[in-house]
């Protein structure tokens, strides 16, 4: 059985997701949050598979739950479709929703 090859850059994701960025100058290790956000918002399953190989599933799940401060509603739903073990109630971006009701004293 062939061992999964760890990616060393994001060039395999293609330029359609990063049309506004020179991916050759992007430090994919430092810019992991915006890369994950972009793929969740606009990518397909093959691009999700690529970032899982690049960062690991655990890092992506932790980033989605604890580090991404905002995702639009459609992207939250996409993240849950891509990673069924996620619960939106555990996601920081869902907890910070401006449209949730607050109790005022």
């Amino acid at each position: 059985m062939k061992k999964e090859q760890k990616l060393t850059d994001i060039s395999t994701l293609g330029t359609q997701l990063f049309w506004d960025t020179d991916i050759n100058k992007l430090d994919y290790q430092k810019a992991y949050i915006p890369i994950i956000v972009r793929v969740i918002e606009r990518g397909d399953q093959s691009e999700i598979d690529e970032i899982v190989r690049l960062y690991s599933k655990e890092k992506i799940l932790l980033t989605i739950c604890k580090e991404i401060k905002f995702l639009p509603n459609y992207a939250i739903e996409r993240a849950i479709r891509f990673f069924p073990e996620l619960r939106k109630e555990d996601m920081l971006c869902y907890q910070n929703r401006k449209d949730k009701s607050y109790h005022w004293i």
Side-chain angles (χ1 to χ4, degrees), residues 2-64:
K2 188 178 174 184
K3 187 177 178 183
E4 283 288 316
Q5 180 181 354
K6 187 100 170 145
L7 299 177
T8 57
D9 62 46
I10 63 167
S11 62
T12 58
L13 291 175
T15 57
Q16 72 276 10
L17 287 181
F18 299 95
W19 72 91
D20 57 347
T21 305
D22 182 354
I23 61 173
N24 297 317
K25 294 181 181 177
L26 187 62
D27 183 339
Y28 73 95
Q29 289 298 343
K30 289 182 181 176
Y32 68 95
I33 294 174
I35 290 169
I36 292 170
V37 168
R38 184 73 60 100
V39 171
I40 294 285
E41 287 180 342
R42 297 182 175 94
D44 60 20
Q45 186 62 53
S46 67
E47 290 155 335
I48 290 292
D49 295 341
E50 291 295 317
I51 64 167
V52 167
R53 281 193 286 278
L54 180 63
Y55 296 117
S56 84
K57 188 173 185 177
E58 294 77 23
K59 181 172 180 143
I60 293 170
L61 293 174
L62 183 65
T63 301
I64 293 170

